[in-house]
Amino acid sequence: MRRVLTLGAALWLLLVPAVGRPAGAALGDADHQPPPPQTDLDGDGIAEDLEARLADAAPDERLPILVSHEPNVDADTLARAAGGLEQLHRFGIVDGFAATATPGRVRSLARHPQVRRVELNGTVRATLDAATDDFGSDRAGWVFGVDGAGVGICVVDTGVDPGHEQLDGRAPIPFFDAVHGRTTAYDDHGHGTHVAAIAAGDGTGGADAARYAGVAPAAAVYAAKVLDQNGSGSNADVIDGVQWCAAQPGVAVISMSLGSDGASDGTDLLSQAVDAAEAGGDVVVVAAGNAGDAPGTVGSPGAARGAVTVGALAPWSAPSGSRGAHGVYLAAFSSRGPTADGRIKPDLAAPGVRIMAAQAGTTSGYVAYSGTSMATPFVSGGAALLLDAVPALAPGEVRGRLEGSAQARGPAGRDSDWGAGALDVPSALADALGASWISPSDYPRVRRTSGIVADHGSWSWTFEVDSGSLDIPIAVAVAIDGALACALQLGPNCWRWEWSPDLDAELTDPIGTVLSTSICPASNDPADAEPRCGAGRQELLYAMPTVAGTYTVTVWPFSDSPNDGKGGSFAVEASAGPLGDGLMRPTQAWHLSRPSAPCTWATSTRPRTGAGRPGPPASRPPSWTRTAVPSRGRRS
């Protein structure tokens, strides 16, 4: 069995380790079943993830639960009606509370007419250089003269290390600690520091600091520590963290690089907390998850209606791993929609493969990680730049600008793999400011087709690479139509799940050399920070082109058990040079054109922070007039 999908039902911090299995696609419960959804499918008032625990729980076992209830209902009254609950913890941001209860009292609560749902208070666990260039965040700063100043980003994670050079200029960092109750910022795991620096590292310090600056280097950083030194905590602690962030007057963006296995319909209590924060005026950016590449793998809180949910893609000019150069593709680990109630998620994709950023516990060290955790702060920083440029934007408008300016990838329109497409920060700013002289960021051109391969057959497709594009890597993704199927049944339980049909692919250059084959290795390559296999739905090919001419993609069925050469249908997307797709995106209200006359630059008088970062000074074209805009109503 070449591909195994064995997922647990816990909530994960969305980081893919450089070596070993991805933290969001791991061995799960004893039966190795796909995780139960985080929704109440049978309408009995108990979410399916809690139902699974109840089935095996002893009568006197205390289960950690979350209870959502009608407004203006007293939690103590509900607890007494259920026969008594322990460790009762109320929330202010949502109508609900956390507690522990025996199975009988859980069922009693679920039958109460004022209780909406009882769910499992699951375990929460810890799941820029080329990327900032590729996706325009570096360009956005000097072209538009915005850097996130005056906008607060609250990172809900493992904390932050204020001693790292990317963050030490912010001390003291406003801090909430749901784990140990400390008041001074720290990070005893490291994940929170990494993502905070991607969003808002100030780029000042030693020789590498400017190279690894964050997307919004002047944004204020707030931190809510909800995960311990092992990267684990509880859903209730995350809700408390969101509640604290939403109450901070300076916060406008909440960044959450965590998520859960098991599809959610967005009505769980954590998703409700995200929706409440968004309704209160904050942009809430959430990781889609690392449980891809099968459909229906976006959990909580990524399924929240108010969340800007982010998938992970590869930055095309990033340093290559041992498998060769990598182009633009959606990472195999990146979770896909739709949500359990059929909505499209994620909303867009951002860099999340081999992202170099601050390493906690050092003053100037940097480390590369992959995951939708890394993609999330890219969007959080982009949202801060938008709010710096146009403070009156409401959260829904920020989302609309980010989605409407995204570079098209995947099928036409929004889809549940890519959402609206790939993040393009300068285009989002140009859209918001009506800057017709700004063109989209240069991405490798995308070609897309679909095909069907017969049982035991073969299918081929070609595309051209010109002589001027030999320094631009090729990436080819084959998305297979099909479904998860049990590959190893032992008694009543399935121990191994595999995508069916199982297809393989290879990329051949114009002289017939095979450059890449989409085999699934038995273990991750230690030199590459991304596993190549999810459920087996997506095959990846990547290589640096060797000569100009016609490149060939060949697809064929895997011949061994359990699919035994079964063919099927699929979509193919190839990313290769030249740069720029030349496509007008219909959601944009501005024209993709530059001024006919050369631009001259007039220095802006707008105060700047973060001195020492490279690049031109803050400036505008001579015709630019920045006008004051009223507050959009967020806390200030």
Side-chain angles (χ1 to χ4, degrees):
M1 306 302 174
R2 299 181 313 138
R3 297 185 181 86
V4 180
L5 181 69
T6 49
L7 300 176
L11 190 66
W12 305 95
L13 188 153
L14 299 168
L15 164 70
V16 176
V19 181
R21 61 169 174 78
L27 291 177
D29 56 28
D31 293 333
H32 303 286
Q33 300 287 344
Q38 298 175 314
T39 185
D40 180 14
L41 295 178
D42 55 12
D44 65 353
I46 302 175
E48 302 308 311
D49 56 355
L50 181 55
E51 291 270 24
R53 286 288 299 273
L54 289 173
D56 297 323
D60 59 349
E61 184 177 349
R62 266 59 175 178
L63 300 174
I65 61 171
L66 295 173
V67 180
S68 55
H69 55 71
E70 300 295 334
N72 303 315
V73 175
D74 180 62
D76 290 327
T77 300
L78 293 177
R80 286 193 297 270
L85 305 175
E86 298 176 354
Q87 300 180 30
L88 191 66
H89 176 78
R90 300 167 183 81
F91 302 116
I93 195 169
V94 289
D95 294 317
F97 59 86
T100 58
T102 63
R105 289 173 180 175
V106 168
R107 295 185 177 97
S108 178
L109 263 177
R111 290 191 294 268
H112 196 283
Q114 292 180 308
V115 170
R116 292 173 173 171
R117 189 167 74 184
V118 188
E119 62 192 73
L120 187 67
N121 184 8
T123 300
V124 184
R125 290 191 58 187
T127 53
L128 297 157
D129 49 338
T132 54
D133 290 340
D134 291 355
F135 297 89
S137 53
D138 186 51
R139 176 185 175 215
W142 67 262
V143 170
F144 292 99
V146 294
D147 52 18
V151 181
I153 302 175
C154 194
V155 178
V156 181
D157 214 287
T158 63
V160 294
D161 180 357
H164 195 280
E165 63 184 5
Q166 293 289 350
L167 301 170
D168 58 6
R170 274 40 174 269
I173 293 174
F175 188 64
F176 168 77
D177 185 1
V179 180
H180 298 297
R182 300 179 190 174
T183 57
T184 301
Y186 69 100
D187 184 358
D188 51 8
H189 180 277
H191 184 270
T193 299
H194 196 265
V195 299
I198 293 171
D202 65 15
T204 63
D208 290 329
R211 182 182 181 190
Y212 300 124
V215 177
V221 175
Y222 295 68
K225 180 175 175 62
V226 299
L227 308 175
D228 64 16
Q229 71 275 12
N230 299 312
S232 64
S234 70
N235 290 24
D237 284 346
V238 178
I239 293 172
D240 280 339
V242 173
Q243 182 172 285
W244 179 83
C245 292
Q248 304 310 300
V251 169
V253 179
I254 300 175
S255 188
M256 303 177 66
S257 290
L258 47 84
S260 64
D261 296 334
S264 169
D265 63 359
T267 62
D268 59 274
L269 208 58
L270 178 52
S271 293
Q272 288 184 47
V274 166
D275 290 342
E278 190 266 350
D282 291 319
V283 178
V284 188
V285 186
V286 181
N290 292 348
D293 50 359
T297 49
V298 175
S300 171
R305 288 163 176 79
V308 181
T309 306
V310 186
L313 57 82
W316 64 268
S317 68
S320 62
S322 64
R323 295 192 184 107
H326 299 59
V328 176
Y329 60 88
L330 194 63
F333 59 75
S334 187
S335 290
R336 273 56 164 192
T339 60
D341 58 333
R343 289 175 291 114
I344 290 178
K345 287 285 184 176
D347 296 304
L348 73 165
V353 177
R354 299 177 304 279
I355 304 301
M356 187 74 75
Q359 183 177 18
T362 71
T363 58
S364 58
Y366 295 87
V367 63
Y369 290 132
S370 294
T372 53
S373 275
M374 286 63 250
T376 299
F378 270 95
V379 177
S380 300
L385 295 181
L386 278 170
L387 291 171
D388 181 12
V390 188
L393 290 176
E397 293 173 310
V398 172
R399 179 211 297 268
R401 301 299 183 185
L402 291 169
E403 290 186 13
S405 60
Q407 295 230 6
R409 287 294 190 271
R414 297 178 75 246
D415 68 273
S416 287
D417 285 359
W418 285 90
L423 176 71
D424 186 344
V425 176
S427 292
L429 285 164
D431 189 11
L433 294 167
S436 61
W437 50 281
I438 291 293
S439 66
S441 298
D442 287 334
Y443 281 22
R445 185 167 296 169
V446 62
R447 293 92 161 172
R448 187 174 176 85
T449 190
S450 59
I452 300 174
V453 62
D455 294 351
H456 308 287
S458 180
W459 175 94
S460 294
W461 172 68
T462 62
F463 61 92
E464 300 296 316
V465 174
D466 62 38
S467 60
S469 301
L470 299 184
D471 60 343
I472 300 171
I474 297 169
V476 179
V478 180
I480 306 167
D481 299 326
L484 284 173
C486 183
L488 179 60
Q489 186 82 29
L490 295 177
N493 301 318
C494 182
W495 283 74
R496 287 181 180 171
W497 293 84
E498 180 172 307
W499 192 261
S500 179
D502 183 0
L503 307 181
D504 286 321
E506 70 180 17
L507 175 66
T508 308
D509 73 6
I511 59 177
T513 303
V514 176
L515 300 179
S516 180
T517 303
S518 65
I519 61 172
C520 185
S523 62
N524 296 336
D525 185 341
D528 192 0
E530 186 209 352
R532 299 190 72 182
C533 297
R537 172 177 171 250
Q538 175 177 285
E539 301 289 334
L540 287 175
L541 304 165
Y542 27 62
M544 186 65 75
T546 52
V547 293
T550 302
Y551 285 72
T552 303
V553 177
T554 304
V555 179
W556 68 93
F558 184 60
S559 59
D560 290 346
S561 175
N563 281 276
D564 298 321
K566 176 183 177 182
S569 60
F570 49 87
V572 182
E573 184 164 290
S575 170
L579 297 180
D581 60 16
L583 298 177
M584 166 70 79
R585 289 179 294 282
T587 52
Q588 290 181 302
W590 49 281
H591 299 290
L592 308 185
S593 61
R594 295 186 182 275
S596 56
C599 285
T600 57
W601 298 88
T603 302
S604 170
T605 58
R606 181 173 179 270
R608 298 284 290 171
T609 58
R613 287 179 287 110
S619 54
R620 307 273 192 259
S623 60
W624 189 285
T625 301
R626 181 164 185 160
T627 58
V629 292
S631 170
R632 68 186 180 95
R634 72 174 187 266
R635 293 169 297 278
S636 60

